[in-house]
DNA sequence: AAAGTCGCCAACCGCTTTAAT
DNA sequence: CATTAAAGCGGTTGGCGACTT
């Protein structure tokens, strides 16, 4: 296809590399919309694109897929990223599942540019290992959560009703224990798009407004930069959530 | 105005995991 | 059960625009 300057113009093993052209985007979009996602190697072969399956998948997932938000990460999304990163570390794809419309790549880039540097500067405190027990607890929660995710896997095309039930399936155990329906509804009315897409954040907020903030307080302490970055020197997660993006 | 620096983001690379045979 | 191919994931790189000196 269009020969680009620089690295994009030199195919390796026959595959083109480098930035995608609008024509390529169009070809890929058309192919995926008529054949569906998956079988990326055949996409590469059959769509007329001179791109590897890997490259096609990446382009689709990160750029062409419908429903992608693109653009600025909201304060709320930022908070979710911070929380989930504290919980799971660099599990970008996992974190991305809770940010509808955002890609792992986007989140990863965002984290690196906004927080990584600060984290380094504050290394002594930020990198203090969590209490072993807490760490173990978190690991267990993650494992449970992953299992639930697996069990809850289903095609995207399967209706909203199922998506809503998945909302519960996807929640880490600790969140599922919180069943403040009223609060959830309240938040749902504030953030309809999020609840629509499985939305952990709602329950985060439920949880954080509740009494048991021990763990989360600990997580928030993980990195002072969070406070500086988000609430401009605020001193607690409560402040952050309430002041930052709940009300 | 030009040069240098920084931040952001798209895309690639290599490794791991999963599915198919 | 073993092997292989495909898909997924996280880390890294390079280009480009904005900002600073």
């Amino acid at each position: 296809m269009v020969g680009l300057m620089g690295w994009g113009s030199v195919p390796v093993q026959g595959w083109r590399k480098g930035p995608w052209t609008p024509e390529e985007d169009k070809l890929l979009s058309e192919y995926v919309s008529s054949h569906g996602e998956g079988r990326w190697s055949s996409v590469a072969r059959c769509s007329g694109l001179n791109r590897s399956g890997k490259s096609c998948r990446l382009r689709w997932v990160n750029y062409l897929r419908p429903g992608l938000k693109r653009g600025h990460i909201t304060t709320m999304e930022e908070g979710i990223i911070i929380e989930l990163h504290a919980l799971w570390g660099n599990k970008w794809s996992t974190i991305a599942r809770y940010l509808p419309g955002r890609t792992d790549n986007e989140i990863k880039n965002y984290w690196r540019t906004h927080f990584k540097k600060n984290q380094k500067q504050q290394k002594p405190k930020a990198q203090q290992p969590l209490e072993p027990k807490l760490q173990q607890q978190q690991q267990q929660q993650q494992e449970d959560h992953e299992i639930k995710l697996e069990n809850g896997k289903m095609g995207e095309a399967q209706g909203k009703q199922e998506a809503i039930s998945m909302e519960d399936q996807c929640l880490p155990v600790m969140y599922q224990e919180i069943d403040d329906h009223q609060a959830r509804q309240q938040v749902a009315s504030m953030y309809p798009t999020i609840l629509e897409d499985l939305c952990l954040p709602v329950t985060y907020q439920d949880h954080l407004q509740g009494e048991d903030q021990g763990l989360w307080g600990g997580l928030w302490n993980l990195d002072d930069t969070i406070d500086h970055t988000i609430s401009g020197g605020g001193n607690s997660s409560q402040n952050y959530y309430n002041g930052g993006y709940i009300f």
Side-chain angles (χ1 to χ4, degrees):
Chain A
M1 194 125 321
V2 185
L4 293 179
M5 58 300 190
W7 63 340
S9 61
V10 184
V12 176
Q13 291 184 340
W15 299 123
R16 215 182 78 76
K17 291 184 181 181
W20 282 66
T21 64
E23 289 83 3
E24 288 176 306
D25 283 345
K26 194 174 169 221
L27 275 175
L28 180 58
S29 294
E30 283 170 357
Y31 189 90
V32 174
S33 59
S34 59
H35 294 83
E37 290 183 47
R39 318 298 314 168
W40 293 111
S41 57
S42 63
V43 172
R45 278 194 303 270
C46 306
S47 64
L49 285 165
N50 191 25
R51 296 274 186 173
S52 70
K54 220 172 176 177
S55 181
C56 290
R57 177 191 157 271
L58 202 66
R59 182 63 175 175
W60 175 258
V61 167
N62 288 335
Y63 195 84
L64 298 173
R65 194 174 55 184
L68 291 180
K69 278 183 189 167
R70 312 191 60 76
H72 291 102
I73 302 275
T74 66
T75 314
M76 177 173 163
E77 288 171 321
E78 190 177 73
I80 294 165
I81 291 169
I82 292 163
E83 287 282 7
L84 295 184
H85 187 272
L87 185 62
W88 293 327
N90 297 354
K91 298 284 182 185
W92 305 117
S93 61
T94 307
I95 294 171
R97 287 174 204 170
Y98 296 101
L99 291 166
R102 300 294 183 187
T103 67
D104 55 351
N105 208 29
E106 202 174 2
I107 294 167
K108 181 171 60 181
N109 283 333
Y110 186 79
W111 177 266
R112 290 182 69 83
T113 54
H114 286 78
F115 301 114
K116 190 72 176 183
K117 209 163 66 177
N118 292 337
Q119 199 175 34
K120 264 186 182 173
Q121 284 167 0
Q122 308 210 2
K123 207 169 183 176
K125 187 171 184 182
Q127 302 227 329
Q128 268 175 2
L130 295 168
E131 291 283 333
K133 203 174 179 180
L134 177 58
Q135 222 167 359
Q136 195 180 1
Q137 186 186 355
Q138 286 183 13
Q139 192 178 354
Q140 183 60 48
Q141 281 164 0
Q142 182 181 348
E143 283 167 7
D144 290 344
H145 169 58
E146 297 293 350
I147 291 165
K148 281 175 185 296
L149 264 183
E150 290 308 308
N151 293 340
K153 263 186 185 170
M154 60 181 72
E156 286 184 11
Q158 284 185 289
K160 269 187 182 171
Q161 203 171 359
E162 283 177 316
I164 289 168
S165 69
M166 192 173 167
E167 176 197 344
D168 289 326
Q169 289 180 322
C170 291
L171 302 178
V173 175
M174 59 186 296
Y175 300 124
Q176 293 188 29
E177 288 167 357
I178 302 153
D179 190 24
D180 186 349
H181 187 64
Q182 204 173 2
R184 187 180 285 204
Q185 277 187 327
Q186 189 184 351
V187 182
S189 68
M190 285 187 270
Y191 303 104
T193 54
I194 289 182
L195 189 58
E196 214 170 87
D197 269 319
L198 27 120
C199 213
L200 184 58
V202 171
T203 50
Y204 268 125
Q205 290 154 6
D206 290 349
H207 182 71
L208 285 165
Q209 287 172 6
E211 292 173 357
D212 185 13
Q213 294 189 26
L215 171 62
W216 293 98
L219 290 175
W220 275 98
N221 288 338
L222 190 80
D223 192 344
D224 278 354
T225 60
I226 292 165
D227 283 334
H228 296 311
T229 310
I230 295 162
S231 58
N235 50 16
S236 74
S237 59
Q238 185 84 37
N239 284 349
Y240 168 55
Y241 273 89
N242 290 339
Y245 52 73
I246 289 187
F247 301 114

